[in-house]
Amino acid sequence: MGRRSITAVGAAVAVAASLVVASPVSAADDPPRPIVSGWFGWWASDPVIAQMASSADGVVGEVAMFWWSFQGSKNPLCIYDNGDYNGNGRWGDCLTETSTPWTTPKFDRQRKALQAAGIKVNASITDLGSASKGKLSRYLSTSKNRTAYATLITEYAVKAGVDGIDLDWEVFAFHDDRDTWQDTRGRWIATVRALSKSLRAKGLTLWATVPGGTAAFTSDGSPNDSTGYWVYAWKDIAPYIDRLNIMAYDYSWSQPGPIGPNDWAQRVAASAVAQVGETRAHKVWVGSPQYGRDWPVVSGAGWTVNPECPAGWKPNATPVKKQEMGGNDQRLLAQRLGVKPTWNPEYGEWTFQYWEPTKGKAGKKKVQCDILREVWFADHRSALARASIVPDLRIGGIAVWQFDYVGEDFYAGLVEYGRKIAPAPTSVNVKATRATAHGRMVTVRVETQSRAGAAEGAEATLYFTASTGAASRAKVQTLALDAQGAGVFRVPAETTGSWVVSVAGSWARLPGESAPAPTKVRYGVDAKASASTVPSNTALTLSGSVSPAVAGTTVNFQRRTGTGDWRDITTGTTDANGAASITLRPSVKGQVTYRLLVPESPGLVRGFSKRIVVTVT
């Protein structure tokens, strides 16, 4: 289910001269989880944009705007005329006579206002309407067209300054014949892959907006492929998209009933997670309606009328479902009629009935009767009920259709709820070997703490920044933390520097990173004498090896004086193997103590060998 209506109300297309936007949430605040997303139509007014920018307070992270539409193979990416820029008196048609086919002044103004408030903007590409039947699938049937389309979309996205693309292609489901789905499915997957590659090369995101479907699971309990609309291939496209927006609304279409009941939305979202995998559950966003519908109540072959209505009465015009209206509009209708809407906790929506005077005839006599009508609508309370699915399934959030309908009280409750389920900070503490010799093992111990519980299994990444040389840090190792959220890295010491451990976040936890833990690395020096006892004036060889083994490293050969000081005997350099040696002829009898010292150099502190004691006889 999920047929979109894009009829613009006259007041909705009124454009304000300027936008007054409050600053986004400050770093000092406790930010909510950004669980709210959704759509603005091309008809969105500046005041509605400003309302979100000033009130969302961090709970809205990204939105989509109806920006372009598919208008056939000759005009596959047509920008909506959202300001009658061609002067033909029509809004929302294809704006072809423009030097900037990727944007309009109104789109630019609104995009910048949202981005300034910290809200990313994706451009939706739609194909709404039965006139597009079969056209888009045929256009995508060749690799040449798919590649060219991906290139054009990416080019326009960059020029328009948007943060990504939303593919809202519904004709496949609601107008194309089902026997075309097998061919379309392959074309759709190939298009998503090509566009994903093109967009990601530019740092842009890709969303897919798909119908909810009524059959979330099959009779054996397995998830139904794309909840029945298998042409959209959720599992196959999941690796290539950043978000799967599921239109979990318009559940009731021909007959009175809830717009998007929560129990159904829960099943649809659970099916999506089962199909794309729990590791991609964050990509799933479940639709949340903010509108209502008004149906005549059917009775038998006719309609439910007031008891006084004569038998055989027929209305002059067939009673029909009324165009969708915002939840606040439906509430105002109930107030005018003196009817009190009833909250349905199972569905998470409001409903009421009323009698509508309707002109008609009984036989040849004009008679006015009252037809019973039933209204269902969703509002901010419905959005909060829908948001409860988010922590239950650990999905990304709710996708609102549409933001033009939300009232002033919409954002506050969701911000509060977003704070309640916000991921907890992760504290990362690191202890590293403070000093060691080159080539020995450095131990880096990491421990984590979070009020969300232990970071069990979280990926921890060890980075190293040398004290000299490259300013950027280098990735060294990764490991999975144990049941206590702890782990130990062991790596060979190479140069003086500092260690930082970054721990990946989860649905319940934010990622965390430690403060730098320094390690001083000294030269590794081993030394020995050719003999422990030698006669006076007999040759004695002192030899040593230095780590790192680099030719030309300075080595000081030293002897300890009677006062305990060390005095250089001579200076040598290492060969390519890190070796150095000298030959002495000690003349003073008694015990003589020697050592080898390598002076400090960039990245390595000085190192010296153990003492060598030689007895001269």
Side-chain angles (χ1 to χ4, degrees), residues 354-436:
Y354 70 96
W355 296 94
E356 182 175 60
T358 306
K359 294 180 179 180
K361 290 182 180 181
K364 295 184 179 180
K365 185 178 180 181
K366 294 181 180 180
V367 177
Q368 178 173 287
C369 291
D370 294 339
I371 289 182
L372 183 65
R373 299 190 68 94
E374 184 169 319
V375 176
W376 286 82
F377 68 93
D379 65 354
H380 67 281
R381 184 173 177 181
S382 306
L384 276 172
R386 182 60 47 88
S388 67
I389 298 175
V390 177
D392 287 349
L393 297 175
R394 297 196 167 188
I395 62 173
I398 63 173
V400 173
W401 178 258
Q402 55 162 312
F403 286 115
D404 283 59
Y405 292 147
V406 306
E408 293 181 358
D409 49 2
F410 174 81
Y411 295 103
L414 286 162
V415 169
E416 181 181 356
Y417 183 71
R419 288 197 172 103
K420 288 180 180 178
I421 64 170
T426 302
S427 173
V428 183
N429 298 311
V430 164
K431 294 181 179 179
T433 304
R434 298 184 65 178
T436 190

Coordinates of all heavy atoms in Angstrom, one line a residue, residues 354-436:
Y354 N -19.6 10.7 11.2 CA -20.5 11.9 11.2 C -21.5 11.6 10.0 O -21.3 10.8 9.1 CB -19.8 13.2 11.0 CG -19.1 13.4 9.7 CD1 -19.8 14.1 8.7 CD2 -17.9 12.9 9.4 CE1 -19.2 14.4 7.4 CE2 -17.2 13.1 8.2 CZ -17.9 13.8 7.2 OH -17.3 14.0 6.0
W355 N -22.6 12.4 10.1 CA -23.6 12.3 9.0 C -23.5 13.5 8.1 O -23.4 14.6 8.5 CB -25.0 12.3 9.7 CG -25.3 11.0 10.5 CD1 -25.1 10.9 11.9 CD2 -25.7 9.8 10.0 NE1 -25.4 9.7 12.3 CE2 -25.8 8.9 11.2 CE3 -26.1 9.3 8.8 CZ2 -26.2 7.6 11.1 CZ3 -26.5 7.9 8.7 CH2 -26.6 7.1 9.9
E356 N -23.5 13.2 6.8 CA -23.4 14.2 5.8 C -24.6 14.4 5.0 O -25.1 13.4 4.3 CB -22.2 14.0 4.9 CG -22.0 15.1 3.9 CD -20.8 14.8 3.0 OE1 -20.7 13.8 2.3 OE2 -19.8 15.6 3.0
P357 N -25.3 15.5 5.1 CA -26.5 15.7 4.2 C -26.2 15.6 2.8 O -25.2 16.2 2.3 CB -26.9 17.2 4.6 CG -26.3 17.4 5.9 CD -25.0 16.7 5.9
T358 N -26.9 14.8 2.1 CA -26.6 14.5 0.7 C -27.9 14.6 -0.2 O -28.9 13.9 0.2 CB -26.0 13.1 0.6 OG1 -24.9 13.0 1.4 CG2 -25.6 12.8 -0.9
K359 N -27.9 15.3 -1.2 CA -29.0 15.4 -2.1 C -29.2 14.2 -3.0 O -28.2 13.6 -3.4 CB -28.9 16.7 -3.0 CG -28.9 18.0 -2.2 CD -28.8 19.2 -3.2 CE -28.8 20.5 -2.4 NZ -28.7 21.7 -3.3
G360 N -30.5 13.8 -3.2 CA -30.7 12.6 -4.0 C -32.2 12.6 -4.4 O -33.0 13.6 -4.3
K361 N -32.7 11.4 -4.8 CA -34.0 11.2 -5.2 C -34.5 9.8 -4.6 O -33.8 8.9 -4.5 CB -34.1 11.1 -6.7 CG -33.9 12.5 -7.4 CD -34.1 12.4 -8.9 CE -33.8 13.7 -9.6 NZ -34.0 13.6 -11.0
A362 N -35.8 9.8 -4.3 CA -36.6 8.6 -4.0 C -37.7 8.5 -5.0 O -38.6 9.3 -4.9 CB -37.1 8.6 -2.6
G363 N -37.5 7.6 -6.0 CA -38.5 7.7 -7.1 C -38.2 8.9 -7.9 O -37.1 9.2 -8.4
K364 N -39.2 9.7 -8.1 CA -39.0 11.0 -8.9 C -39.0 12.2 -8.0 O -38.9 13.3 -8.4 CB -40.1 11.1 -9.9 CG -40.1 10.1 -11.0 CD -41.2 10.3 -12.0 CE -41.2 9.2 -13.1 NZ -42.3 9.5 -14.1
K365 N -39.0 11.9 -6.7 CA -39.1 13.0 -5.7 C -37.7 13.3 -5.2 O -36.9 12.5 -4.8 CB -40.0 12.6 -4.6 CG -40.2 13.8 -3.5 CD -41.2 13.3 -2.5 CE -41.4 14.4 -1.4 NZ -42.3 14.0 -0.4
K366 N -37.3 14.6 -5.2 CA -36.1 15.1 -4.6 C -36.1 14.9 -3.1 O -37.0 15.4 -2.4 CB -35.8 16.5 -4.9 CG -35.5 16.8 -6.4 CD -35.2 18.2 -6.7 CE -35.0 18.5 -8.2 NZ -34.7 19.9 -8.4
V367 N -35.1 14.2 -2.6 CA -35.0 14.0 -1.1 C -33.6 14.1 -0.7 O -32.7 13.6 -1.3 CB -35.6 12.6 -0.8 CG1 -35.4 12.3 0.8 CG2 -37.0 12.4 -1.2
Q368 N -33.4 14.8 0.4 CA -32.0 14.9 1.0 C -32.0 14.0 2.2 O -32.8 14.0 3.1 CB -31.7 16.3 1.5 CG -30.4 16.5 2.1 CD -30.0 17.9 2.4 OE1 -29.7 18.7 1.5 NE2 -30.1 18.3 3.7
C369 N -31.0 13.1 2.1 CA -30.7 12.1 3.2 C -29.3 12.4 3.8 O -28.5 13.0 3.2 CB -30.9 10.7 2.8 SG -32.6 10.2 2.3
D370 N -29.1 11.8 5.0 CA -27.8 11.8 5.6 C -27.1 10.5 5.4 O -27.6 9.5 5.7 CB -27.9 12.1 7.1 CG -28.5 13.5 7.4 OD1 -28.4 14.4 6.5 OD2 -29.1 13.6 8.5
I371 N -25.9 10.6 4.8 CA -25.0 9.5 4.6 C -24.0 9.4 5.8 O -23.4 10.4 6.1 CB -24.4 9.5 3.3 CG1 -25.4 9.2 2.2 CG2 -23.2 8.5 3.2 CD1 -24.8 9.2 0.8
L372 N -23.8 8.2 6.3 CA -22.8 8.1 7.4 C -21.4 8.0 6.8 O -21.2 7.3 5.8 CB -23.1 6.8 8.2 CG -22.1 6.5 9.4 CD1 -22.3 7.6 10.4 CD2 -22.4 5.1 9.9
R373 N -20.5 8.8 7.3 CA -19.1 8.8 6.9 C -18.2 8.5 8.0 O -18.6 8.8 9.2 CB -18.8 10.2 6.2 CG -19.6 10.5 5.0 CD -19.0 11.8 4.3 NE -17.7 11.5 3.7 CZ -17.6 11.1 2.4 NH1 -18.7 10.9 1.6 NH2 -16.4 10.8 1.9
E374 N -17.1 7.9 7.7 CA -16.2 7.5 8.8 C -14.8 8.0 8.4 O -14.3 7.9 7.3 CB -16.1 5.9 8.9 CG -15.2 5.4 10.0 CD -15.4 3.9 10.2 OE1 -16.5 3.5 10.1 OE2 -14.4 3.2 10.4
V375 N -14.2 8.6 9.4 CA -12.9 9.3 9.3 C -11.8 8.6 10.2 O -12.1 8.2 11.3 CB -12.9 10.8 9.7 CG1 -11.6 11.4 9.6 CG2 -13.9 11.5 8.8
W376 N -10.7 8.3 9.6 CA -9.5 7.9 10.3 C -8.4 8.9 10.1 O -8.2 9.3 8.9 CB -9.1 6.5 9.9 CG -10.0 5.4 10.4 CD1 -11.1 5.0 9.9 CD2 -9.8 4.6 11.6 NE1 -11.7 4.0 10.6 CE2 -10.9 3.7 11.7 CE3 -8.8 4.5 12.5 CZ2 -11.0 2.8 12.7 CZ3 -8.9 3.6 13.6 CH2 -10.0 2.7 13.6
F377 N -7.6 9.2 11.1 CA -6.5 10.1 10.9 C -5.4 9.9 11.9 O -5.6 9.3 13.0 CB -7.0 11.6 10.9 CG -7.4 12.1 12.2 CD1 -6.5 12.8 13.1 CD2 -8.8 12.0 12.6 CE1 -7.0 13.3 14.3 CE2 -9.2 12.5 13.8 CZ -8.3 13.2 14.7
A378 N -4.2 10.3 11.5 CA -3.0 10.2 12.4 C -2.5 11.6 12.7 O -2.6 12.5 11.9 CB -2.0 9.4 11.7
D379 N -1.9 11.7 13.9 CA -1.3 13.0 14.3 C 0.0 12.7 15.1 O 0.6 11.7 14.9 CB -2.3 13.8 15.1 CG -2.6 13.1 16.5 OD1 -2.2 12.0 16.7 OD2 -3.3 13.8 17.3
H380 N 0.4 13.7 15.9 CA 1.7 13.6 16.6 C 1.7 12.4 17.6 O 2.7 11.8 17.8 CB 2.0 14.9 17.3 CG 1.1 15.2 18.5 ND1 -0.2 15.8 18.2 CD2 1.2 15.0 19.8 CE1 -0.8 15.9 19.4 NE2 0.0 15.5 20.4
R381 N 0.5 12.1 18.2 CA 0.4 11.0 19.1 C 0.6 9.7 18.3 O 1.2 8.7 18.8 CB -1.0 11.0 19.8 CG -1.1 9.9 20.8 CD -2.4 10.0 21.6 NE -2.6 8.9 22.5 CZ -3.7 8.8 23.3 NH1 -4.6 9.8 23.3 NH2 -3.8 7.8 24.1
S382 N 0.1 9.7 17.0 CA 0.3 8.5 16.2 C 1.8 8.3 15.9 O 2.3 7.2 15.8 CB -0.5 8.7 14.9 OG -1.8 8.9 15.1
A383 N 2.5 9.4 15.6 CA 3.9 9.4 15.3 C 4.7 8.8 16.5 O 5.6 8.0 16.3 CB 4.4 10.7 14.9
L384 N 4.3 9.2 17.7 CA 4.9 8.7 18.9 C 4.7 7.2 19.0 O 5.6 6.4 19.4 CB 4.5 9.4 20.1 CG 5.1 10.7 20.4 CD1 4.4 11.5 21.6 CD2 6.6 10.5 20.8
A385 N 3.5 6.8 18.7 CA 3.2 5.3 18.8 C 4.0 4.6 17.8 O 4.5 3.5 18.0 CB 1.7 5.1 18.6
R386 N 4.1 5.1 16.6 CA 4.9 4.5 15.5 C 6.3 4.4 15.9 O 7.0 3.5 15.6 CB 4.7 5.2 14.2 CG 5.4 4.7 13.0 CD 4.9 3.3 12.6 NE 3.5 3.0 12.7 CZ 2.7 3.2 11.6 NH1 3.2 3.6 10.5 NH2 1.4 3.0 11.7
A387 N 6.8 5.5 16.6 CA 8.2 5.5 17.0 C 8.6 4.4 17.9 O 9.8 4.1 18.1 CB 8.6 6.9 17.5
S388 N 7.6 3.8 18.6 CA 7.9 2.7 19.6 C 8.5 1.5 18.8 O 9.1 0.7 19.4 CB 6.7 2.3 20.3 OG 5.7 1.7 19.5
I389 N 8.2 1.4 17.5 CA 8.8 0.3 16.7 C 10.3 0.4 16.6 O 11.0 -0.6 16.5 CB 8.1 0.3 15.3 CG1 6.6 0.0 15.5 CG2 8.8 -0.8 14.4 CD1 5.9 0.1 14.1
V390 N 10.8 1.6 16.7 CA 12.2 1.9 16.5 C 13.1 1.1 17.4 O 14.0 0.3 17.0 CB 12.5 3.4 16.5 CG1 14.0 3.6 16.3 CG2 11.8 4.1 15.4
P391 N 12.9 1.3 18.8 CA 13.8 0.5 19.7 C 13.4 -1.0 19.7 O 14.3 -1.8 20.0 CB 13.5 1.2 21.0 CG 12.2 1.8 20.9 CD 12.1 2.2 19.5
D392 N 12.2 -1.3 19.4 CA 11.8 -2.7 19.4 C 12.6 -3.5 18.4 O 13.0 -4.7 18.7 CB 10.3 -2.9 19.2 CG 9.4 -2.4 20.3 OD1 10.0 -2.2 21.4 OD2 8.2 -2.3 20.2
L393 N 12.7 -3.0 17.2 CA 13.4 -3.7 16.1 C 14.8 -3.1 15.8 O 15.5 -3.6 15.0 CB 12.6 -3.6 14.9 CG 11.2 -4.3 15.0 CD1 10.4 -4.1 13.7 CD2 11.4 -5.8 15.2
R394 N 15.2 -2.0 16.5 CA 16.4 -1.3 16.3 C 16.6 -0.9 14.9 O 17.7 -1.1 14.3 CB 17.6 -2.2 16.8 CG 17.5 -2.5 18.3 CD 18.8 -3.0 18.9 NE 18.8 -2.9 20.3 CZ 19.8 -3.2 21.1 NH1 21.0 -3.5 20.6 NH2 19.7 -3.1 22.4
I395 N 15.5 -0.4 14.3 CA 15.6 0.2 13.0 C 16.0 1.6 13.0 O 16.2 2.2 14.1 CB 14.2 0.0 12.3 CG1 13.1 0.8 13.0 CG2 13.9 -1.5 12.1 CD1 11.8 0.8 12.3
G396 N 16.1 2.3 11.8 CA 16.6 3.6 11.8 C 15.6 4.6 12.4 O 16.0 5.5 13.1
G397 N 14.3 4.6 12.0 CA 13.4 5.5 12.5 C 12.1 5.5 11.7 O 11.7 4.5 11.1
I398 N 11.3 6.6 11.8 CA 10.0 6.7 11.1 C 10.2 7.7 10.0 O 10.9 8.7 10.1 CB 8.9 7.1 12.1 CG1 9.1 8.5 12.7 CG2 8.7 6.1 13.2 CD1 8.0 9.0 13.5
A399 N 9.4 7.4 8.9 CA 9.4 8.3 7.7 C 8.0 8.9 7.6 O 7.1 8.2 7.3 CB 9.9 7.5 6.5
V400 N 7.9 10.2 7.7 CA 6.6 10.9 7.8 C 6.1 11.3 6.4 O 6.9 11.9 5.7 CB 6.8 12.1 8.7 CG1 5.5 13.0 8.7 CG2 7.1 11.7 10.1
W401 N 4.9 11.0 6.1 CA 4.2 11.5 5.0 C 3.0 12.3 5.5 O 2.1 11.7 6.1 CB 3.7 10.5 4.0 CG 2.9 11.1 2.9 CD1 1.6 11.1 2.7 CD2 3.5 11.8 1.8 NE1 1.2 11.8 1.6 CE2 2.4 12.2 1.0 CE3 4.8 12.1 1.4 CZ2 2.6 13.0 -0.2 CZ3 5.0 12.8 0.2 CH2 3.9 13.3 -0.6
Q402 N 3.0 13.6 5.3 CA 4.1 14.4 4.9 C 4.2 15.6 5.9 O 3.3 15.8 6.7 CB 3.8 15.0 3.5 CG 2.5 15.7 3.5 CD 2.3 16.6 2.3 OE1 3.2 17.4 2.0 NE2 1.2 16.5 1.6
F403 N 5.4 16.3 5.9 CA 5.6 17.3 6.9 C 4.7 18.6 6.8 O 4.6 19.3 7.7 CB 7.1 17.7 6.9 CG 8.0 16.7 7.4 CD1 8.9 16.1 6.7 CD2 7.9 16.4 8.8 CE1 9.8 15.1 7.2 CE2 8.8 15.4 9.3 CZ 9.7 14.8 8.5
D404 N 4.1 18.7 5.6 CA 3.1 19.8 5.5 C 2.0 19.7 6.4 O 1.3 20.7 6.8 CB 2.6 19.9 4.0 CG 3.6 20.5 3.1 OD1 4.7 20.0 3.0 OD2 3.2 21.5 2.4
Y405 N 1.7 18.4 6.8 CA 0.5 18.2 7.7 C 0.8 18.3 9.2 O -0.2 18.3 9.9 CB 0.0 16.8 7.4 CG -0.6 16.5 6.0 CD1 -0.4 15.3 5.4 CD2 -1.3 17.5 5.3 CE1 -1.0 15.1 4.1 CE2 -1.8 17.3 4.1 CZ -1.7 16.1 3.5 OH -2.2 15.9 2.2
V406 N 2.0 18.3 9.6 CA 2.3 18.2 11.0 C 1.9 19.5 11.7 O 2.0 20.6 11.2 CB 3.7 17.9 11.3 CG1 4.1 16.6 10.6 CG2 4.7 19.0 11.0
G407 N 1.5 19.4 13.0 CA 1.1 20.6 13.7 C 2.3 21.1 14.6 O 3.4 20.5 14.6
E408 N 2.1 22.2 15.3 CA 3.1 22.8 16.1 C 3.5 21.9 17.2 O 4.6 22.0 17.8 CB 2.6 24.1 16.7 CG 2.3 25.2 15.6 CD 1.8 26.5 16.2 OE1 1.7 26.6 17.5 OE2 1.6 27.5 15.5
D409 N 2.7 21.0 17.7 CA 3.0 20.1 18.8 C 3.7 18.8 18.3 O 3.9 17.9 19.1 CB 1.7 19.7 19.6 CG 0.6 19.3 18.7 OD1 0.8 19.2 17.5 OD2 -0.5 19.0 19.2
F410 N 4.0 18.7 17.0 CA 4.5 17.4 16.5 C 5.9 17.1 17.0 O 6.2 16.0 17.5 CB 4.5 17.5 15.0 CG 5.2 16.3 14.3 CD1 4.5 15.1 14.1 CD2 6.5 16.4 13.9 CE1 5.1 14.1 13.5 CE2 7.1 15.3 13.2 CZ 6.4 14.1 13.1
Y411 N 6.8 18.1 17.0 CA 8.2 17.9 17.2 C 8.6 17.7 18.7 O 9.4 16.9 19.0 CB 9.1 19.0 16.6 CG 9.0 19.1 15.1 CD1 8.2 20.0 14.5 CD2 9.7 18.2 14.3 CE1 8.1 20.1 13.1 CE2 9.6 18.2 12.9 CZ 8.8 19.2 12.4 OH 8.7 19.2 11.0
A412 N 7.9 18.4 19.6 CA 8.4 18.4 21.0 C 8.3 17.0 21.6 O 9.3 16.6 22.3 CB 7.5 19.3 21.8
G413 N 7.2 16.3 21.4 CA 7.1 14.9 22.0 C 8.1 14.0 21.4 O 8.7 13.1 22.1
L414 N 8.4 14.1 20.1 CA 9.4 13.2 19.4 C 10.8 13.5 19.9 O 11.6 12.6 20.0 CB 9.2 13.3 17.9 CG 8.0 12.6 17.4 CD1 7.7 13.1 16.0 CD2 8.2 11.1 17.4
V415 N 11.1 14.8 20.1 CA 12.4 15.2 20.6 C 12.6 14.5 22.0 O 13.6 14.0 22.3 CB 12.5 16.7 20.7 CG1 13.8 17.1 21.5 CG2 12.6 17.3 19.3
E416 N 11.6 14.6 22.9 CA 11.7 14.0 24.2 C 11.9 12.5 24.1 O 12.7 11.9 24.8 CB 10.4 14.4 25.0 CG 10.4 13.8 26.4 CD 9.2 14.1 27.2 OE1 8.3 14.8 26.6 OE2 9.0 13.6 28.3
Y417 N 11.1 11.9 23.2 CA 11.2 10.4 23.1 C 12.6 10.1 22.5 O 13.2 9.1 22.9 CB 10.1 9.9 22.2 CG 10.1 8.4 22.1 CD1 9.8 7.6 23.1 CD2 10.5 7.8 20.9 CE1 9.8 6.2 23.0 CE2 10.5 6.4 20.7 CZ 10.1 5.6 21.8 OH 10.2 4.3 21.7
G418 N 13.0 10.9 21.5 CA 14.3 10.6 20.9 C 15.4 10.7 21.9 O 16.4 10.0 21.8
R419 N 15.3 11.5 23.0 CA 16.3 11.6 24.0 C 16.2 10.4 24.9 O 17.3 9.9 25.4 CB 16.1 12.9 24.8 CG 16.5 14.2 24.1 CD 16.7 15.3 25.1 NE 17.2 16.5 24.4 CZ 16.6 17.5 24.0 NH1 15.3 17.6 24.3 NH2 17.1 18.5 23.4
K420 N 15.1 9.9 25.1 CA 14.9 8.7 26.0 C 15.6 7.5 25.3 O 16.1 6.6 26.0 CB 13.4 8.4 26.2 CG 12.7 9.3 27.1 CD 11.3 9.0 27.3 CE 10.6 9.9 28.3 NZ 9.1 9.6 28.4
I421 N 15.6 7.4 24.0 CA 16.1 6.2 23.4 C 17.4 6.5 22.7 O 17.9 5.7 21.9 CB 15.2 5.6 22.4 CG1 14.9 6.5 21.2 CG2 13.9 5.1 23.0 CD1 14.1 5.9 20.1
A422 N 18.0 7.7 23.0 CA 19.3 8.1 22.4 C 20.4 7.1 22.8 O 20.4 6.6 23.9 CB 19.7 9.5 22.8
P423 N 21.3 6.8 21.9 CA 22.4 5.9 22.2 C 23.3 6.5 23.3 O 23.5 7.7 23.4 CB 23.2 5.8 20.9 CG 22.8 7.0 20.1 CD 21.4 7.3 20.5
A424 N 23.7 5.7 24.2 CA 24.5 6.1 25.4 C 25.9 6.4 25.0 O 26.5 5.7 24.1 CB 24.4 5.1 26.5
P425 N 26.6 7.3 25.6 CA 28.0 7.5 25.3 C 28.8 6.3 25.7 O 28.5 5.6 26.6 CB 28.4 8.8 26.2 CG 27.1 9.4 26.5 CD 26.1 8.4 26.5
T426 N 29.9 6.1 25.0 CA 30.8 5.0 25.4 C 32.2 5.6 25.8 O 32.8 6.3 25.0 CB 31.1 4.1 24.1 OG1 29.8 3.6 23.7 CG2 32.0 3.0 24.5
S427 N 32.5 5.3 27.0 CA 33.8 5.8 27.6 C 34.9 4.7 27.3 O 34.7 3.6 27.6 CB 33.7 6.0 29.1 OG 34.9 6.3 29.7
V428 N 36.0 5.2 26.7 CA 37.1 4.3 26.3 C 38.3 4.7 27.1 O 38.8 5.8 26.9 CB 37.3 4.3 24.8 CG1 38.4 3.3 24.4 CG2 36.0 4.0 24.0
N429 N 38.8 3.8 27.9 CA 40.1 4.0 28.6 C 41.2 3.1 28.1 O 40.9 1.9 27.9 CB 39.8 3.8 30.1 CG 38.8 4.7 30.7 OD1 38.9 5.9 30.4 ND2 37.8 4.2 31.4
V430 N 42.4 3.6 28.0 CA 43.5 2.8 27.4 C 44.7 3.0 28.3 O 45.0 4.1 28.8 CB 43.8 3.3 26.0 CG1 45.2 2.8 25.6 CG2 42.8 2.8 25.0
K431 N 45.4 1.8 28.6 CA 46.7 1.8 29.2 C 47.7 1.2 28.3 O 47.4 0.0 27.8 CB 46.6 1.1 30.6 CG 45.7 1.8 31.6 CD 45.7 1.0 32.9 CE 44.9 1.7 34.0 NZ 44.8 1.0 35.3
A432 N 48.8 1.8 28.1 CA 49.8 1.3 27.2 C 51.1 1.2 27.9 O 51.4 2.0 28.9 CB 49.9 2.1 25.9
T433 N 52.0 0.3 27.5 CA 53.4 0.2 28.0 C 54.0 1.6 27.9 O 54.0 2.2 26.8 CB 54.2 -0.8 27.2 OG1 53.5 -2.1 27.3 CG2 55.6 -0.9 27.7
R434 N 54.5 2.1 29.0 CA 55.0 3.5 29.0 C 56.3 3.6 28.3 O 56.6 4.6 27.6 CB 55.1 4.0 30.4 CG 53.7 4.1 31.1 CD 53.8 4.7 32.5 NE 54.2 6.1 32.4 CZ 54.3 6.9 33.4 NH1 54.1 6.4 34.7 NH2 54.7 8.1 33.3
A435 N 57.2 2.6 28.4 CA 58.5 2.7 27.8 C 59.0 1.3 27.5 O 58.8 0.4 28.4 CB 59.5 3.4 28.7
T436 N 59.7 1.1 26.4 CA 60.2 -0.2 26.1 C 61.3 -0.1 25.0 O 61.5 1.0 24.5 CB 59.1 -1.2 25.6 OG1 59.6 -2.5 25.5 CG2 58.5 -0.7 24.2

